[in-house]
Amino acid sequence: MEPTFTFSPTLSKRERYEQFLSEYTVFIDGEDDWTTALANTAAALHDAFGFFWVGFYLVHDADWLHLGPFQGSVACSRIKRGRGVCGTAWAEARTLIVPDVDAFPGHIACSSLSRSEIVVPMLQDGTVIGVLDIDSDRLADFDDIDRAGLEPVLHHLLQTPASSALPRTCQQP
Ligand code: SME
């Protein structure tokens, strides 16, 4: 049976991430198709946490991210390295938490309703191969609990058989 990714209302945010990770690892283990793995990861995060927008931008070549599987409204299809929150997280190879997107220099507004954002890089052998981008329509919606909850999800995603079949362009930014 597929997991439901629903939580008891009494759980804290940290506990929700813990439950999510335990269900997600069973759900995604053995997946050998990269597109399937990314699409179901975005859907699982969306179902579990009700994020306004959640999806992947994937390294396409030395300079550009291309939009990957996501849940939410139509979004920017290309982001240059070092630009916006996503391109900066790629260039700096670190998670960025932006409490107010209007205060982030160069923020790329795919939706005028987005108010805060977290971007987590996907690291494979020390190289960023893409980023997970999550937007909220509320200010300051993300904190270190989200970072600590999301980074292991991506770590696990990159342990699946799917990641060994990554396109060459993703492995060599
Ligand atoms: N705000 C992002 C662009 C992607 S959308 O939020 C989906 C950025 O500044 O990189």
Side-chain angles (χ1 to χ4, degrees):
M1 197 172 89
E2 298 294 328
T4 57
F5 294 114
T6 54
F7 305 120
S8 159
T10 59
L11 292 185
S12 68
K13 185 159 78 169
R14 193 186 309 275
E15 290 168 332
R16 287 172 191 228
Y17 275 114
E18 286 168 2
Q19 182 185 317
F20 179 86
L21 187 64
S22 65
E23 292 183 14
Y24 173 78
T25 52
V26 173
F27 174 62
I28 209 73
D29 266 353
E31 179 55 63
D32 63 2
D33 184 284
W34 186 232
T35 304
T36 304
L38 293 174
N40 259 340
T41 300
L45 287 167
H46 184 265
D47 286 357
F49 297 97
F51 292 130
F52 176 71
W53 195 95
V54 51
F56 294 94
Y57 281 93
L58 303 174
V59 170
H60 183 74
D61 56 31
D63 288 325
W64 292 95
L65 294 168
H66 286 194
L67 180 61
F70 68 94
Q71 295 275 313
S73 302
V74 169
C76 319
S77 56
R78 305 281 187 275
I79 295 176
K80 194 165 189 188
R81 190 172 196 271
R83 298 288 172 82
V85 186
C86 293
T88 304
W90 173 20
E92 297 182 2
R94 67 184 179 98
T95 297
L96 293 181
I97 295 171
V98 179
D100 179 356
V101 295
D102 290 333
F104 187 92
H107 168 255
I108 300 165
C110 295
S111 165
S112 59
L113 297 176
S114 178
R115 309 295 303 280
S116 59
E117 186 164 358
I118 183 169
V119 178
V120 186
M122 304 160 72
L123 285 159
Q124 191 180 59
D125 301 327
T127 299
V128 179
I129 61 156
V131 300
L132 171 68
D133 179 21
I134 305 179
D135 287 22
S136 173
D137 57 358
R138 295 186 297 267
L139 281 170
D141 213 12
F142 303 107
D143 55 26
D144 208 48
I145 296 174
D146 296 281
R147 183 197 57 73
L150 292 166
E151 287 178 350
V153 172
L154 295 189
H155 179 77
H156 196 83
L157 171 64
L158 289 164
Q159 303 301 309
T160 61
S163 66
S164 66
L166 283 173
R168 185 179 292 259
T169 49
C170 281
Q171 292 181 329
Q172 296 179 348

